[in-house]
Amino acid sequence: MENAFIGLPLKLRHIQCFIAVAQLNSLQRAAERLSLTQPAISKTLAELEALVGAKLFERGRRGAALTPDGRAFAPYANACLGSLRDGIGKLSASRQPVPATVALGALPTVASVLLPEALRRHRADWPGANIQVVIGRNIELIERLRSAEIELALARLGDPEAMAGMNFEHLFREPMVAVVQAGHPLLGLGVLTAESLGGYPLIMPPAGTLIRQSAESMIAELGIVTPAGTLESLSVSLNLAVTLHNDAIWFVPSSLVEHEVASGLLARLPMPAGGTDEPIGLIRRTDIALSPASASLLDALRQVGLGRERRRVGAA
């Protein structure tokens, strides 16, 4: 039987166009990336769909979304273009090597916990790779993944609608704790009450974040609504400095202050209820294959994250 692919007038521009629209979910943004007009993008996609005999995108007011056939085709299109780039890189390696680049997103409350060790491991296999780290809130990181600005994100599991087309790989759970400076008056009280906490400023994650909900659940057990005068910040360095030089109560993921608690600079308050253990993991798009350098970093993050979870479970 004759191979149907033989003689198929499929061109590189068809694959480039498909990948750009799949990554950006927008014909207009794909046109800007490829320095083409939007009609040219539409025409190229129409040609590709005619060639493969399947509808690859659904176009609507929210942009262009891959159809089931499009999602099935995407890994092969990425592999095709990736193989071509690798081949060109092999030919040019002796003349002008092009370093690999990995674009990673991370929550500010997680980056300093996993990245230092993961980057050390990754560098052993990819010493010349450039790493671009974007720090942002959970929903911002998912949007950057959707627009292909980053390849993977170290973040929390989002709501089902935001996670459509995404894969979440759980690494570890992150309990919320309340900490104060050593010698804080509340440390000698034993049982905490709404009245005893009421006289001290709180440092909380910003409204709208998942860890803010966890912090609020802790103080709700004491019958407290977040009071006026609360400092809202995700800056670890700022919050630590304020806690060490004031009588503030800082609600923070436990891993961010484990060294300060162990050294005695900070102490955990015995809250009547702990915060929700938020699942932390790796998020990436299901329709785009990772580059070898990105896959190596993902594996390093996986090893460090799962190691942290094993230690936490063992300690518990």
Side-chain angles (χ1 to χ4, degrees):
M1 180 178 178
E2 184 180 356
N3 191 327
F5 186 77
I6 297 176
L8 187 68
L10 189 66
K11 302 184 184 301
L12 180 60
R13 62 183 173 85
H14 292 123
I15 302 299
Q16 290 175 314
C17 179
F18 171 83
I19 291 175
V21 176
Q23 289 180 341
L24 301 173
N25 298 117
S26 165
L27 271 66
Q28 180 60 47
R29 283 189 288 175
E32 293 170 359
R33 172 186 284 188
L34 299 175
S35 299
L36 297 171
T37 63
Q38 186 169 332
I41 293 290
S42 297
K43 181 174 182 293
T44 303
L45 284 181
E47 291 174 357
L48 177 60
E49 290 178 330
L51 287 170
V52 300
K55 188 175 183 180
L56 302 176
F57 291 96
E58 290 287 355
R59 295 136 170 107
R61 290 193 301 177
R62 298 186 65 179
L66 287 168
T67 63
D69 285 332
R71 287 194 293 272
F73 181 68
Y76 300 98
N78 279 285
C80 172
L81 195 59
S83 295
L84 183 60
R85 286 172 178 160
D86 289 345
I88 294 173
K90 282 259 185 208
L91 293 175
S92 61
S94 60
R95 298 188 294 273
Q96 188 177 1
V98 178
T101 299
V102 180
L104 165 75
L107 294 168
T109 53
V110 179
S112 62
V113 176
L114 294 192
L115 276 180
E117 174 61 17
L119 290 175
R120 185 190 67 80
R121 297 187 183 200
H122 181 261
R123 185 173 176 79
D125 294 326
W126 292 83
N130 295 322
I131 310 297
Q132 300 172 351
V133 181
V134 175
I135 302 297
R137 296 187 181 188
N138 216 68
I139 189 63
E140 295 169 349
L141 297 179
I142 293 175
E143 285 303 313
R144 286 178 180 268
L145 273 173
R146 202 173 299 283
S147 63
E149 296 175 56
I150 57 177
E151 295 176 84
L152 60 152
L154 186 56
R156 293 180 173 81
L157 181 64
D159 61 64
E161 183 178 353
M163 293 298 294
M166 301 287 172
N167 175 70
F168 178 81
E169 179 182 345
H170 177 261
L171 295 182
F172 66 100
R173 302 192 73 84
E174 181 76 303
M176 178 72 67
V177 296
V179 296
V180 293
Q181 63 171 317
H184 193 285
L186 286 176
L187 293 174
L189 293 184
V191 179
L192 298 178
T193 64
E195 291 72 23
S196 60
L197 258 69
Y200 300 99
L202 306 183
I203 304 175
M204 303 277 281
T209 59
L210 293 173
I211 53 176
R212 172 60 174 265
Q213 298 172 20
S214 181
E216 288 180 339
S217 71
M218 293 176 69
I219 63 173
E221 289 291 325
L222 292 170
I224 300 175
V225 177
T226 307
T230 295
L231 170 63
E232 297 186 1
S233 167
L234 283 175
S235 171
V236 176
S237 57
L238 170 63
N239 295 350
L240 176 60
V242 172
T243 305
L244 290 175
H245 294 89
N246 294 271
D247 283 337
I249 304 169
W250 182 14
F251 291 85
V252 58
S254 62
S255 61
L256 290 179
V257 291
E258 58 188 16
H259 297 300
E260 287 76 12
V261 171
S263 66
L265 284 174
L266 297 176
R268 288 180 58 169
L269 280 181
M271 298 293 289
T276 306
D277 287 358
E278 296 291 347
I280 303 295
L282 293 161
I283 306 176
R284 57 192 178 98
R285 286 176 56 158
T286 57
D287 57 345
I288 298 178
L290 293 178
S291 67
S294 298
S296 176
L297 180 56
L298 181 144
D299 187 58
L301 287 165
R302 177 188 292 127
Q303 293 177 31
V304 177
L306 292 178
R308 167 171 287 278
E309 182 69 356
R310 285 193 293 269
R311 291 192 297 273
R312 183 188 72 85
V313 172

